[in-house]
PDB file of all heavy atoms in Angstrom:
ATOM      1  N   LEU A  43       1.270   5.769 -22.684  1.00 73.00           N
ATOM      2  CA  LEU A  43       0.173   6.733 -22.645  1.00 73.00           C
ATOM      3  C   LEU A  43       0.779   8.114 -22.433  1.00 73.00           C
ATOM      4  O   LEU A  43       1.229   8.448 -21.346  1.00 73.00           O
ATOM      5  CB  LEU A  43      -0.797   6.401 -21.505  1.00 73.00           C
ATOM      6  CG  LEU A  43      -1.600   5.130 -21.673  1.00 73.00           C
ATOM      7  CD1 LEU A  43      -2.391   4.842 -20.401  1.00 73.00           C
ATOM      8  CD2 LEU A  43      -2.545   5.238 -22.860  1.00 73.00           C
ATOM      9  N   ASP A  44       0.779   8.928 -23.463  1.00 65.00           N
ATOM     10  CA  ASP A  44       1.387  10.248 -23.367  1.00 65.00           C
ATOM     11  C   ASP A  44       0.590  11.180 -22.473  1.00 65.00           C
ATOM     12  O   ASP A  44       1.137  11.975 -21.734  1.00 65.00           O
ATOM     13  CB  ASP A  44       1.511  10.860 -24.770  1.00 65.00           C
ATOM     14  CG  ASP A  44       2.093  12.257 -24.727  1.00 65.00           C
ATOM     15  OD1 ASP A  44       3.160  12.420 -24.110  1.00 65.00           O
ATOM     16  OD2 ASP A  44       1.472  13.167 -25.290  1.00 65.00           O
ATOM     17  N   HIS A  45      -0.722  11.088 -22.523  1.00 61.00           N
ATOM     18  CA  HIS A  45      -1.545  12.020 -21.781  1.00 61.00           C
ATOM     19  C   HIS A  45      -2.694  11.271 -21.133  1.00 61.00           C
ATOM     20  O   HIS A  45      -3.448  10.593 -21.802  1.00 61.00           O
ATOM     21  CB  HIS A  45      -2.091  13.100 -22.733  1.00 61.00           C
ATOM     22  CG  HIS A  45      -2.912  14.128 -22.031  1.00 61.00           C
ATOM     23  ND1 HIS A  45      -2.420  14.895 -21.019  1.00 61.00           N
ATOM     24  CD2 HIS A  45      -4.195  14.507 -22.205  1.00 61.00           C
ATOM     25  CE1 HIS A  45      -3.366  15.719 -20.599  1.00 61.00           C
ATOM     26  NE2 HIS A  45      -4.457  15.499 -21.300  1.00 61.00           N
ATOM     27  N   ARG A  46      -2.798  11.357 -19.797  1.00 55.00           N
ATOM     28  CA  ARG A  46      -3.821  10.605 -19.080  1.00 55.00           C
ATOM     29  C   ARG A  46      -4.810  11.521 -18.366  1.00 55.00           C
ATOM     30  O   ARG A  46      -5.370  11.162 -17.362  1.00 55.00           O
ATOM     31  CB  ARG A  46      -3.149   9.676 -18.079  1.00 55.00           C
ATOM     32  CG  ARG A  46      -2.292   8.631 -18.757  1.00 55.00           C
ATOM     33  CD  ARG A  46      -1.596   7.743 -17.752  1.00 55.00           C
ATOM     34  NE  ARG A  46      -0.532   8.401 -17.036  1.00 55.00           N
ATOM     35  CZ  ARG A  46       0.760   8.314 -17.333  1.00 55.00           C
ATOM     36  NH1 ARG A  46       1.149   7.583 -18.347  1.00 55.00           N
ATOM     37  NH2 ARG A  46       1.649   8.929 -16.616  1.00 55.00           N
ATOM     38  N   GLY A  47      -5.006  12.737 -18.848  1.00 54.00           N
ATOM     39  CA  GLY A  47      -6.024  13.601 -18.269  1.00 54.00           C
ATOM     40  C   GLY A  47      -5.494  14.760 -17.449  1.00 54.00           C
ATOM     41  O   GLY A  47      -6.248  15.649 -17.086  1.00 54.00           O
ATOM     42  N   ALA A  48      -4.219  14.782 -17.131  1.00 53.00           N
ATOM     43  CA  ALA A  48      -3.669  15.895 -16.365  1.00 53.00           C
ATOM     44  C   ALA A  48      -2.204  16.060 -16.744  1.00 53.00           C
ATOM     45  O   ALA A  48      -1.482  15.096 -16.897  1.00 53.00           O
ATOM     46  CB  ALA A  48      -3.776  15.623 -14.871  1.00 53.00           C
ATOM     47  N   ARG A  49      -1.808  17.272 -16.905  1.00 57.00           N
ATOM     48  CA  ARG A  49      -0.424  17.523 -17.279  1.00 57.00           C
ATOM     49  C   ARG A  49       0.023  18.832 -16.653  1.00 57.00           C
ATOM     50  O   ARG A  49      -0.626  19.848 -16.817  1.00 57.00           O
ATOM     51  CB  ARG A  49      -0.290  17.584 -18.800  1.00 57.00           C
ATOM     52  CG  ARG A  49       1.169  17.767 -19.233  1.00 57.00           C
ATOM     53  CD  ARG A  49       1.298  17.747 -20.727  1.00 57.00           C
ATOM     54  NE  ARG A  49       0.966  16.391 -21.166  1.00 57.00           N
ATOM     55  CZ  ARG A  49       0.851  16.063 -22.435  1.00 57.00           C
ATOM     56  NH1 ARG A  49       1.006  16.950 -23.370  1.00 57.00           N
ATOM     57  NH2 ARG A  49       0.565  14.828 -22.777  1.00 57.00           N
ATOM     58  N   GLY A  50       1.133  18.812 -15.940  1.00 59.00           N
ATOM     59  CA  GLY A  50       1.682  20.017 -15.360  1.00 59.00           C
ATOM     60  C   GLY A  50       2.610  20.701 -16.332  1.00 59.00           C
ATOM     61  O   GLY A  50       2.917  20.195 -17.407  1.00 59.00           O
ATOM     62  N   ALA A  51       3.049  21.869 -15.945  1.00 61.00           N
ATOM     63  CA  ALA A  51       3.936  22.642 -16.801  1.00 61.00           C
ATOM     64  C   ALA A  51       5.376  22.143 -16.726  1.00 61.00           C
ATOM     65  O   ALA A  51       6.179  22.481 -17.578  1.00 61.00           O
ATOM     66  CB  ALA A  51       3.876  24.115 -16.397  1.00 61.00           C
ATOM     67  N   GLU A  52       5.681  21.341 -15.729  1.00 68.00           N
ATOM     68  CA  GLU A  52       7.047  20.866 -15.541  1.00 68.00           C
ATOM     69  C   GLU A  52       7.199  19.486 -16.183  1.00 68.00           C
ATOM     70  O   GLU A  52       6.496  18.544 -15.827  1.00 68.00           O
ATOM     71  CB  GLU A  52       7.343  20.801 -14.045  1.00 68.00           C
ATOM     72  CG  GLU A  52       8.766  20.483 -13.729  1.00 68.00           C
ATOM     73  CD  GLU A  52       8.982  20.530 -12.237  1.00 68.00           C
ATOM     74  OE1 GLU A  52       8.374  19.731 -11.520  1.00 68.00           O
ATOM     75  OE2 GLU A  52       9.750  21.389 -11.810  1.00 68.00           O
ATOM     76  N   GLU A  53       8.104  19.365 -17.101  1.00 68.00           N
ATOM     77  CA  GLU A  53       8.262  18.138 -17.885  1.00 68.00           C
ATOM     78  C   GLU A  53       8.543  16.895 -17.048  1.00 68.00           C
ATOM     79  O   GLU A  53       8.045  15.811 -17.326  1.00 68.00           O
ATOM     80  CB  GLU A  53       9.381  18.328 -18.909  1.00 68.00           C
ATOM     81  CG  GLU A  53       9.596  17.127 -19.795  1.00 68.00           C
ATOM     82  CD  GLU A  53      10.730  17.338 -20.777  1.00 68.00           C
ATOM     83  OE1 GLU A  53      10.963  18.477 -21.201  1.00 68.00           O
ATOM     84  OE2 GLU A  53      11.386  16.344 -21.112  1.00 68.00           O
ATOM     85  N   LYS A  54       9.336  17.018 -15.978  1.00 67.00           N
ATOM     86  CA  LYS A  54       9.739  15.854 -15.208  1.00 67.00           C
ATOM     87  C   LYS A  54       8.719  15.425 -14.155  1.00 67.00           C
ATOM     88  O   LYS A  54       8.885  14.410 -13.497  1.00 67.00           O
ATOM     89  CB  LYS A  54      11.082  16.131 -14.522  1.00 67.00           C
ATOM     90  CG  LYS A  54      12.245  16.210 -15.495  1.00 67.00           C
ATOM     91  CD  LYS A  54      13.536  16.511 -14.786  1.00 67.00           C
ATOM     92  CE  LYS A  54      14.032  15.315 -14.029  1.00 67.00           C
ATOM     93  NZ  LYS A  54      15.314  15.538 -13.363  1.00 67.00           N
ATOM     94  N   THR A  55       7.656  16.209 -13.956  1.00 70.00           N
ATOM     95  CA  THR A  55       6.652  15.868 -12.958  1.00 70.00           C
ATOM     96  C   THR A  55       5.420  15.316 -13.661  1.00 70.00           C
ATOM     97  O   THR A  55       4.784  16.014 -14.441  1.00 70.00           O
ATOM     98  CB  THR A  55       6.294  17.098 -12.104  1.00 70.00           C
ATOM     99  OG1 THR A  55       7.474  17.527 -11.411  1.00 70.00           O
ATOM    100  CG2 THR A  55       5.211  16.753 -11.089  1.00 70.00           C
ATOM    101  N   GLY A  56       5.098  14.072 -13.371  1.00 65.00           N
ATOM    102  CA  GLY A  56       3.982  13.400 -14.038  1.00 65.00           C
ATOM    103  C   GLY A  56       2.654  13.685 -13.386  1.00 65.00           C
ATOM    104  O   GLY A  56       2.532  14.503 -12.476  1.00 65.00           O
ATOM    105  N   ASP A  57       1.648  12.947 -13.834  1.00 64.00           N
ATOM    106  CA  ASP A  57       0.285  13.165 -13.362  1.00 64.00           C
ATOM    107  C   ASP A  57      -0.124  12.215 -12.242  1.00 64.00           C
ATOM    108  O   ASP A  57      -1.253  12.235 -11.791  1.00 64.00           O
ATOM    109  CB  ASP A  57      -0.702  13.072 -14.522  1.00 64.00           C
ATOM    110  CG  ASP A  57      -0.665  11.708 -15.207  1.00 64.00           C
ATOM    111  OD1 ASP A  57      -0.094  10.764 -14.640  1.00 64.00           O
ATOM    112  OD2 ASP A  57      -1.218  11.605 -16.301  1.00 64.00           O
ATOM    113  N   GLY A  58       0.757  11.362 -11.785  1.00 66.00           N
ATOM    114  CA  GLY A  58       0.459  10.475 -10.670  1.00 66.00           C
ATOM    115  C   GLY A  58      -0.213   9.182 -11.057  1.00 66.00           C
ATOM    116  O   GLY A  58      -0.689   8.456 -10.198  1.00 66.00           O
ATOM    117  N   ALA A  59      -0.282   8.857 -12.338  1.00 69.00           N
ATOM    118  CA  ALA A  59      -0.891   7.593 -12.750  1.00 69.00           C
ATOM    119  C   ALA A  59      -0.021   6.436 -12.264  1.00 69.00           C
ATOM    120  O   ALA A  59       1.183   6.559 -12.122  1.00 69.00           O
ATOM    121  CB  ALA A  59      -1.027   7.544 -14.268  1.00 69.00           C
ATOM    122  N   GLY A  60      -0.662   5.311 -11.992  1.00 72.00           N
ATOM    123  CA  GLY A  60       0.097   4.170 -11.509  1.00 72.00           C
ATOM    124  C   GLY A  60      -0.658   2.887 -11.726  1.00 72.00           C
ATOM    125  O   GLY A  60      -1.609   2.839 -12.492  1.00 72.00           O
ATOM    126  N   ILE A  61      -0.215   1.847 -11.030  1.00 76.00           N
ATOM    127  CA  ILE A  61      -0.874   0.553 -11.151  1.00 76.00           C
ATOM    128  C   ILE A  61      -1.245   0.050  -9.755  1.00 76.00           C
ATOM    129  O   ILE A  61      -0.604   0.391  -8.760  1.00 76.00           O
ATOM    130  CB  ILE A  61       0.013  -0.483 -11.881  1.00 76.00           C
ATOM    131  CG1 ILE A  61       1.315  -0.730 -11.125  1.00 76.00           C
ATOM    132  CG2 ILE A  61       0.307  -0.037 -13.297  1.00 76.00           C
ATOM    133  CD1 ILE A  61       2.152  -1.850 -11.721  1.00 76.00           C
ATOM    134  N   LEU A  62      -2.278  -0.755  -9.698  1.00 77.00           N
ATOM    135  CA  LEU A  62      -2.715  -1.388  -8.466  1.00 77.00           C
ATOM    136  C   LEU A  62      -2.431  -2.876  -8.605  1.00 77.00           C
ATOM    137  O   LEU A  62      -2.853  -3.510  -9.576  1.00 77.00           O
ATOM    138  CB  LEU A  62      -4.215  -1.153  -8.262  1.00 77.00           C
ATOM    139  CG  LEU A  62      -4.849  -1.800  -7.039  1.00 77.00           C
ATOM    140  CD1 LEU A  62      -4.258  -1.221  -5.760  1.00 77.00           C
ATOM    141  CD2 LEU A  62      -6.361  -1.574  -7.071  1.00 77.00           C
ATOM    142  N   ILE A  63      -1.693  -3.419  -7.647  1.00 80.00           N
ATOM    143  CA  ILE A  63      -1.312  -4.830  -7.717  1.00 80.00           C
ATOM    144  C   ILE A  63      -1.744  -5.553  -6.452  1.00 80.00           C
ATOM    145  O   ILE A  63      -2.062  -4.931  -5.438  1.00 80.00           O
ATOM    146  CB  ILE A  63       0.209  -5.003  -7.909  1.00 80.00           C
ATOM    147  CG1 ILE A  63       0.982  -4.411  -6.723  1.00 80.00           C
ATOM    148  CG2 ILE A  63       0.657  -4.374  -9.210  1.00 80.00           C
ATOM    149  CD1 ILE A  63       2.456  -4.723  -6.714  1.00 80.00           C
ATOM    150  N   GLN A  64      -1.740  -6.875  -6.507  1.00 82.00           N
ATOM    151  CA  GLN A  64      -1.968  -7.665  -5.302  1.00 82.00           C
ATOM    152  C   GLN A  64      -0.775  -7.495  -4.376  1.00 82.00           C
ATOM    153  O   GLN A  64       0.331  -7.158  -4.807  1.00 82.00           O
ATOM    154  CB  GLN A  64      -2.133  -9.132  -5.646  1.00 82.00           C
ATOM    155  CG  GLN A  64      -3.435  -9.437  -6.330  1.00 82.00           C
ATOM    156  CD  GLN A  64      -3.537 -10.910  -6.682  1.00 82.00           C
ATOM    157  OE1 GLN A  64      -2.537 -11.572  -6.936  1.00 82.00           O
ATOM    158  NE2 GLN A  64      -4.754 -11.408  -6.702  1.00 82.00           N
ATOM    159  N   LYS A  65      -0.990  -7.763  -3.134  1.00 88.00           N
ATOM    160  CA  LYS A  65       0.057  -7.642  -2.136  1.00 88.00           C
ATOM    161  C   LYS A  65       1.203  -8.602  -2.465  1.00 88.00           C
ATOM    162  O   LYS A  65       0.979  -9.802  -2.650  1.00 88.00           O
ATOM    163  CB  LYS A  65      -0.612  -7.900  -0.791  1.00 88.00           C
ATOM    164  CG  LYS A  65       0.157  -8.427   0.299  1.00 88.00           C
ATOM    165  CD  LYS A  65      -0.680  -8.488   1.568  1.00 88.00           C
ATOM    166  CE  LYS A  65      -1.502  -9.749   1.626  1.00 88.00           C
ATOM    167  NZ  LYS A  65      -2.237  -9.882   2.884  1.00 88.00           N
ATOM    168  N   PRO A  66       2.445  -8.097  -2.563  1.00 91.00           N
ATOM    169  CA  PRO A  66       3.602  -8.958  -2.875  1.00 91.00           C
ATOM    170  C   PRO A  66       4.095  -9.666  -1.606  1.00 91.00           C
ATOM    171  O   PRO A  66       5.084  -9.291  -0.998  1.00 91.00           O
ATOM    172  CB  PRO A  66       4.633  -7.974  -3.428  1.00 91.00           C
ATOM    173  CG  PRO A  66       4.297  -6.679  -2.755  1.00 91.00           C
ATOM    174  CD  PRO A  66       2.800  -6.677  -2.550  1.00 91.00           C
ATOM    175  N   HIS A  67       3.371 -10.701  -1.220  1.00 93.00           N
ATOM    176  CA  HIS A  67       3.588 -11.387   0.050  1.00 93.00           C
ATOM    177  C   HIS A  67       5.032 -11.872   0.242  1.00 93.00           C
ATOM    178  O   HIS A  67       5.620 -11.652   1.299  1.00 93.00           O
ATOM    179  CB  HIS A  67       2.607 -12.550   0.167  1.00 93.00           C
ATOM    180  CG  HIS A  67       2.741 -13.349   1.414  1.00 93.00           C
ATOM    181  ND1 HIS A  67       2.540 -12.809   2.669  1.00 93.00           N
ATOM    182  CD2 HIS A  67       3.066 -14.659   1.608  1.00 93.00           C
ATOM    183  CE1 HIS A  67       2.737 -13.748   3.582  1.00 93.00           C
ATOM    184  NE2 HIS A  67       3.051 -14.877   2.960  1.00 93.00           N
ATOM    185  N   ALA A  68       5.606 -12.513  -0.756  1.00 92.00           N
ATOM    186  CA  ALA A  68       6.973 -13.039  -0.615  1.00 92.00           C
ATOM    187  C   ALA A  68       7.962 -11.897  -0.354  1.00 92.00           C
ATOM    188  O   ALA A  68       8.863 -12.025   0.482  1.00 92.00           O
ATOM    189  CB  ALA A  68       7.371 -13.828  -1.855  1.00 92.00           C
ATOM    190  N   PHE A  69       7.785 -10.779  -1.057  1.00 93.00           N
ATOM    191  CA  PHE A  69       8.662  -9.631  -0.837  1.00 93.00           C
ATOM    192  C   PHE A  69       8.513  -9.109   0.586  1.00 93.00           C
ATOM    193  O   PHE A  69       9.497  -8.857   1.283  1.00 93.00           O
ATOM    194  CB  PHE A  69       8.339  -8.525  -1.846  1.00 93.00           C
ATOM    195  CG  PHE A  69       9.057  -7.228  -1.574  1.00 93.00           C
ATOM    196  CD1 PHE A  69      10.380  -7.070  -1.943  1.00 93.00           C
ATOM    197  CD2 PHE A  69       8.415  -6.186  -0.932  1.00 93.00           C
ATOM    198  CE1 PHE A  69      11.062  -5.881  -1.686  1.00 93.00           C
ATOM    199  CE2 PHE A  69       9.080  -4.998  -0.666  1.00 93.00           C
ATOM    200  CZ  PHE A  69      10.411  -4.852  -1.042  1.00 93.00           C
ATOM    201  N   PHE A  70       7.257  -8.927   1.033  1.00 95.00           N
ATOM    202  CA  PHE A  70       7.020  -8.414   2.385  1.00 95.00           C
ATOM    203  C   PHE A  70       7.567  -9.353   3.445  1.00 95.00           C
ATOM    204  O   PHE A  70       8.129  -8.909   4.443  1.00 95.00           O
ATOM    205  CB  PHE A  70       5.538  -8.148   2.615  1.00 95.00           C
ATOM    206  CG  PHE A  70       5.010  -6.928   1.899  1.00 95.00           C
ATOM    207  CD1 PHE A  70       3.696  -6.881   1.475  1.00 95.00           C
ATOM    208  CD2 PHE A  70       5.815  -5.830   1.644  1.00 95.00           C
ATOM    209  CE1 PHE A  70       3.194  -5.761   0.826  1.00 95.00           C
ATOM    210  CE2 PHE A  70       5.335  -4.706   0.995  1.00 95.00           C
ATOM    211  CZ  PHE A  70       4.014  -4.671   0.591  1.00 95.00           C
TER     212      PHE A  70
END
Side-chain angles (χ1 to χ4, degrees):
L43 292 173
D44 178 52
H45 182 59
R46 296 178 288 262
R49 183 177 293 173
E52 187 176 63
E53 182 181 329
K54 290 179 74 178
T55 298
D57 60 14
I61 61 174
L62 178 64
I63 62 171
Q64 288 179 330
K65 153 175 84 176
H67 179 62
F69 172 79
F70 287 149

